[in-house]
Amino acid sequence: MAQMTMIQAITDALATELRNDENVLVFGEDVGNNGGVFRATENLQKEFGVDRVFDTPLAESAIGGLANGLSYKGFRPVAEIQFFGFVFEVFDQVAGQVARTRYRSGNTRNMPVVFRAPFGGGVHTPEMHADSLEGLMAQTPGLKVVIPSTPYDAKGLLISAIRDNDPVVFLEHMKLYRSFREDVPEGEYTIPLGKANIRREGTDITLIAYGAMVQESLKAADELEKEGISAEVIDLRTVSPIDTDTLVASIEKTNHVVVIQEAQKQAGVAAHVIAEINDRAILSLDAPVGRVTAADSVFPFAQAETAWLPNKTDIYNKAKEILSF
Amino acid sequence: MATKQKQLIVDVKKQFAAIAKQFEPIQVLNEKGEVVNPQYMPDLSDEKMVELMERMVWTRVLDQRSTALNKQGRLGFYAPTAGQEASQLGTQFALEQEDFILPGYRDIPQIIMHGLPLAKAFLFSRGHFAGNQYPKDLNIISPQIIIGAQYVQTAGVALGIQKRGEKSVAITYTGDGGSSQGDFYEGINFASAFKSPAIFVIQNNGFAISVPRELQTAAPTLAQKAVAAGVPGVVVDGMDPLAVYAVTREARDRAVNGEGPTVIETLTYRFGPHTLAGDDPTRYRTKEMDEAWALKDPLVRYRLFLESKNLWSAEQEEAVIERAKEEIKAALKEADAIPKQKVTDLLNNMFETPTQNVAEQIAYYTEKESK
């Protein structure tokens, strides 16, 4: 065991898989000698060489094209998009190409690609760095979308993502990169994709969240506990596909639920989660499903982040509202 | 006071003249089938020269029959190829089996010649996944619909070839319109930066659907766009099979010798419409233009050339035509026999292991399909 930040756990996962499988390649803008703009690939080029860990020209679409073409030659590409706001440049290669290859080829070709990218608000980044665009990816058949919220999950999920023989979009919240440390096992371990995690058990209300909103939900749960309200906090971990079994089991116990996301109301995956709950657990609900999201504006100018981003107070208030329905 | 003549910083005329000189079209055979540049004559045996002619005739028949079959509703999506035989087959003829082709939607003849069974090409046209199911050792992907995407993917395949230490190339095709895409530039530039073994072919047939090539760019050639990537570019008479073969073979040699990619612009023409989905070329092409290009027909000049060497006869040509018709008939029959697609087939082709939602839907549609 070692105490690691999420960024260290990610580096550790990449090193583990570079060591395990010579077909794993790590590439992107500044991921080589520089070790990545967040140091996620620190020292990897030094250890594994420039053939395995390398910089590319500054063009996201061709980074996606490289991942695609390298897969045809039997490699397992782990491509980095420097900030997920830049995904629009490579949308065709991710959603129009890589995600469709197994299907298009009638299951004769596959793309074991991971697209890693940081995202998320709260650190005053410039425009188009922090946007939560996981909803766009979750709407694309052929992709899995993973968003860890802890160092332990980040390592186990990233190893699973790299070993998956189908494409995975792996989104890393910038605010969580170094915000806390926890024990992370040495060596390899995996966490299954598509499985949620109960972060805190409770009996009165279910709080479903992912990314930075998991921490906010845990803080809200602490506040609720002071008033004798027992909140169960579920971290989705994979936002596509959704682990509905874990959600339904919790809701059957608590009969109240709030879905929380950092993305705008019209974006993210909350609406899909709510639809699944309505399909599968409506008779267990004592109140409508609550939802905490950001406002339907463009991601805020840096100085407006605090006012705009959802937080523990929004979650606390929404939980109280649902419980008093 | 006399005005002083100001010295121009950029002498545009001089700059452009110097560029133009570098991109003169390469020709081996003229329209009469005469060898005009023996120094570029490729090293091909008589048998190979005849084989190339057979492929061109076969492909012309395939185009005629595909057009007819489309009109009868026996084929679906089809992009005519007549006129482009030298460009398509001359480039492919310069490849080896281990080379990897990333075709556009009009580039079916190349992948058939590389080993794609004709029945599969027909299934692709109709819209059946079985048309895209290839054995792993067939180095092609299914025709790319997103114009330019095949260029960035080629940079990836070529880098993969390089990392595997293989002596082969990745070749890809786009049209004149496609050279305006961002992916076009990114693809050639990535292959340049990694010095990867790639050949980028621009088949310039003068039109992107109805938009003339002059509206794509003010650049006088498309091959000169290679300069932006710092790689060699060459313009070739795309109606001349020997010239097309020669420049492609040279590009291949450069690539497998570790000297990086090449951009080839073939000057060609499609005698038919853009696709058979309602395009009407009389809206944007004149009869005079069609007639002028008909004189450049690659089959005509290559036939004259081979006849002058006593390598080709009307009987030989008739035999190829008959063989093509028979093979097309047999392939259609094969395509007709493929089972209809079910939703469960489509769902099963999504992931190695179905995700929760896909697994639930497979169960639902299995039930539905059993009724």
Side-chain angles (χ1 to χ4, degrees):
Chain A
M1 286 282 184
Q3 283 272 311
M4 286 189 198
T5 60
M6 191 162 98
I7 197 96
Q8 288 168 332
I10 287 166
T11 312
D12 191 32
L14 291 170
T16 302
E17 287 313 278
L18 281 160
R19 214 168 282 133
N20 274 339
D21 186 343
E22 62 184 15
N23 289 315
V24 172
L25 301 176
V26 171
F27 55 89
E29 295 155 8
D30 308 290
V31 305
N33 180 43
N34 192 47
V37 292
F38 290 103
R39 301 288 172 261
T41 53
E42 180 97 306
N43 291 325
L44 295 181
Q45 190 179 68
K46 210 173 287 171
E47 181 176 351
F48 299 99
V50 75
D51 276 349
R52 305 282 309 283
V53 180
F54 54 94
D55 290 320
T56 67
L58 202 167
E60 285 76 17
S61 186
I63 291 171
L66 274 194
N68 191 312
L70 286 164
S71 296
Y72 282 119
K73 293 301 293 179
F75 289 100
R76 304 185 77 84
V78 183
E80 179 177 304
I81 301 167
Q82 200 159 64
F83 294 94
F84 205 56
F86 310 163
V87 72
F88 296 108
E89 296 289 337
V90 62
F91 212 103
D92 177 54
Q93 288 300 321
V94 178
Q97 307 289 331
V98 169
R100 299 169 71 107
T101 301
R102 184 186 287 277
Y103 170 89
R104 181 186 284 150
S105 68
N107 215 349
T108 60
R109 299 289 189 281
N110 67 297
M111 298 262 137
V113 176
V114 177
F115 290 105
R116 284 183 48 244
F119 80 108
V123 289
H124 302 296
T125 51
E127 205 173 0
M128 295 293 287
H129 283 57
D131 297 55
S132 288
L133 301 170
E134 69 280 3
L136 299 174
M137 297 292 120
Q139 292 214 355
T140 303
L143 292 179
K144 299 188 185 93
V145 186
V146 175
I147 304 181
S149 71
T150 70
Y152 177 86
D153 281 356
K155 181 174 172 183
L157 288 167
L158 183 52
I159 291 175
S160 292
I162 294 171
R163 293 181 184 181
D164 200 291
N165 284 326
D166 289 304
V168 178
V169 175
F170 194 88
L171 299 175
E172 303 162 6
H173 200 290
M174 283 183 272
K175 203 179 173 189
L176 300 177
Y177 267 155
R178 294 185 174 84
S179 60
F180 65 100
R181 290 174 186 271
E182 71 177 5
D183 276 340
V184 174
E186 317 271 355
E188 60 176 73
Y189 67 94
T190 59
I191 294 171
L193 306 185
K195 289 278 172 253
N197 185 29
I198 299 170
R199 289 292 302 279
R200 176 192 175 115
E201 293 201 2
T203 51
D204 298 328
I205 187 164
T206 302
L207 305 178
I208 302 169
Y210 59 96
M213 290 301 113
V214 176
Q215 285 300 321
E216 294 301 312
S217 298
L218 289 168
K219 288 181 204 161
D222 286 342
E223 295 300 312
L224 290 165
E225 193 180 18
K226 289 177 192 160
E227 297 174 26
I229 299 165
S230 162
E232 180 146 300
V233 177
I234 299 180
D235 179 355
L236 282 177
R237 297 200 291 201
T238 298
V239 302
S240 181
I242 300 288
D243 173 11
T244 55
D245 292 347
T246 301
L247 306 188
V248 168
S250 175
I251 292 161
E252 282 173 352
K253 180 173 61 175
T254 63
N255 313 115
H256 297 87
V257 58
V258 176
V259 183
I260 304 115
Q261 67 181 18
E262 181 175 321
Q264 295 90 334
K265 189 175 186 182
Q266 69 187 67
V269 300
H272 178 63
V273 171
I274 293 167
E276 291 289 348
I277 292 167
N278 285 338
D279 281 353
R280 295 166 196 263
I282 197 151
L283 296 179
S284 301
L285 292 174
D286 287 347
V289 180
R291 178 159 37 158
V292 175
T293 73
D296 283 331
S297 75
V298 169
F299 191 89
F301 292 99
Q303 294 202 334
E305 271 189 335
T306 311
W308 189 88
L309 288 167
N311 61 28
K312 63 173 185 184
T313 310
D314 299 317
I315 300 165
Y316 169 87
N317 289 339
K318 181 57 77 173
K320 294 279 282 186
E321 182 191 322
I322 293 302
L323 284 165
S324 61
F325 176 79
Chain B
M1 213 169 83
T3 40
K4 221 164 125 191
Q5 187 66 43
K6 202 179 166 196
Q7 176 71 46
L8 287 174
I9 295 165
V10 180
D11 185 337
V12 177
K13 275 187 187 156
K14 199 172 143 197
Q15 189 175 58
F16 277 37
I19 295 169
K21 230 171 91 184
Q22 304 300 315
F23 294 93
E24 297 282 352
I26 303 299
Q27 194 180 51
V28 173
L29 296 179
N30 66 14
E31 292 172 24
K32 294 178 199 151
E34 296 159 349
V35 176
V36 290
N37 282 304
Q39 73 278 21
Y40 299 141
M41 178 59 91
D43 187 20
L44 280 171
S45 66
D46 288 353
E47 290 75 28
K48 293 297 273 183
M49 289 223 196
V50 169
E51 190 186 340
L52 180 53
M53 182 64 182
E54 288 172 347
R55 290 181 177 201
M56 288 170 59
V57 171
W58 190 93
T59 301
R60 182 65 61 89
V61 177
L62 176 65
D63 183 72
Q64 290 161 348
R65 291 297 301 139
S66 297
T67 301
L69 289 163
N70 170 280
K71 287 180 176 153
Q72 294 164 20
R74 297 194 66 195
L75 286 182
F77 174 73
Y78 181 66
T81 59
Q84 298 192 193
E85 291 86 354
S87 170
Q88 296 183 316
L89 305 173
T91 46
Q92 194 277 332
F93 207 57
L95 304 179
E96 303 295 335
Q97 205 55 53
E98 59 268 29
D99 295 336
F100 199 109
I101 305 180
L102 295 97
Y105 52 81
R106 200 182 301 281
D107 303 312
I108 313 286
Q110 295 98 304
I111 56 175
I112 290 174
M113 294 305 161
H114 217 58
L116 177 70
L118 186 53
K120 290 202 177 280
F122 288 158
L123 286 165
F124 166 79
S125 167
R126 288 175 176 180
H128 194 299
F129 69 82
N132 292 346
Q133 288 179 315
Y134 313 144
K136 279 265 193 288
D137 59 354
L138 179 54
N139 292 318
I140 61 172
I141 62 165
S142 52
Q144 178 59 250
I145 299 296
I146 302 303
I147 296 172
Q150 69 273 34
Y151 263 54
V152 285
Q153 290 164 5
T154 295
V157 173
L159 183 61
I161 289 170
Q162 199 175 348
K163 286 189 178 295
R164 296 288 183 211
E166 294 167 357
K167 290 282 175 203
S168 60
V169 302
I171 187 170
T172 190
Y173 298 85
T174 192
D176 38 304
S179 69
S180 300
Q181 288 278 7
D183 276 356
F184 167 89
Y185 291 98
E186 291 188 24
I188 61 177
N189 188 58
F190 264 53
S192 157
F194 292 112
K195 222 171 187 189
S196 299
I199 302 175
F200 296 98
V201 182
I202 310 164
Q203 299 190 87
N204 174 4
N205 64 22
F207 290 90
I209 307 188
S210 67
V211 178
R213 174 246 169 278
E214 292 70 31
L215 276 180
Q216 298 294 339
T217 173
T221 73
L222 301 177
Q224 74 192 64
K225 298 191 174 209
V227 175
V231 301
V234 56
V235 184
V236 61
D237 180 346
M239 306 302 259
D240 173 354
L242 295 180
V244 170
Y245 175 90
V247 300
T248 312
R249 193 69 198 175
E250 193 175 285
R252 188 183 186 281
D253 289 344
R254 248 195 313 277
V256 296
N257 288 332
E259 294 168 53
T262 300
V263 175
I264 297 171
E265 176 186 5
T266 66
L267 301 174
T268 184
Y269 200 68
R270 56 173 159 85
F271 294 150
H274 163 66
T275 68
L276 296 180
D279 176 43
D280 173 14
T282 64
R283 282 171 179 248
Y284 53 87
R285 276 192 332 220
T286 62
K287 204 164 155 258
E288 291 71 35
M289 200 183 282
D290 283 342
E291 283 167 359
W293 277 95
L295 297 175
K296 297 175 194 275
D297 190 331
L299 268 67
V300 171
R301 78 175 70 177
Y302 198 42
R303 188 185 290 124
L304 289 170
F305 167 75
L306 291 177
E307 283 171 354
S308 77
K309 297 182 61 139
N310 286 318
L311 291 172
W312 194 249
S313 66
E315 292 73 42
Q316 274 169 284
E317 183 146 342
E318 199 45 50
V320 175
I321 293 169
E322 282 314 305
R323 176 168 62 82
K325 286 180 179 167
E326 286 306 313
E327 286 172 1
I328 289 164
K329 209 184 289 174
L332 273 175
K333 212 169 143 188
E334 202 185 318
D336 289 345
I338 296 289
K340 273 191 185 162
Q341 299 166 102
K342 301 192 298 282
V343 178
T344 46
D345 297 327
L346 308 183
L347 288 166
N348 276 313
N349 288 344
M350 287 303 302
F351 295 100
E352 182 178 51
T353 308
T355 51
Q356 187 194 321
N357 55 319
V358 169
E360 288 175 1
Q361 290 165 31
I362 288 171
Y364 170 81
Y365 283 100
T366 301
E367 167 82 18
K368 195 176 165 192
E369 287 162 4
S370 71
K371 282 174 190 160

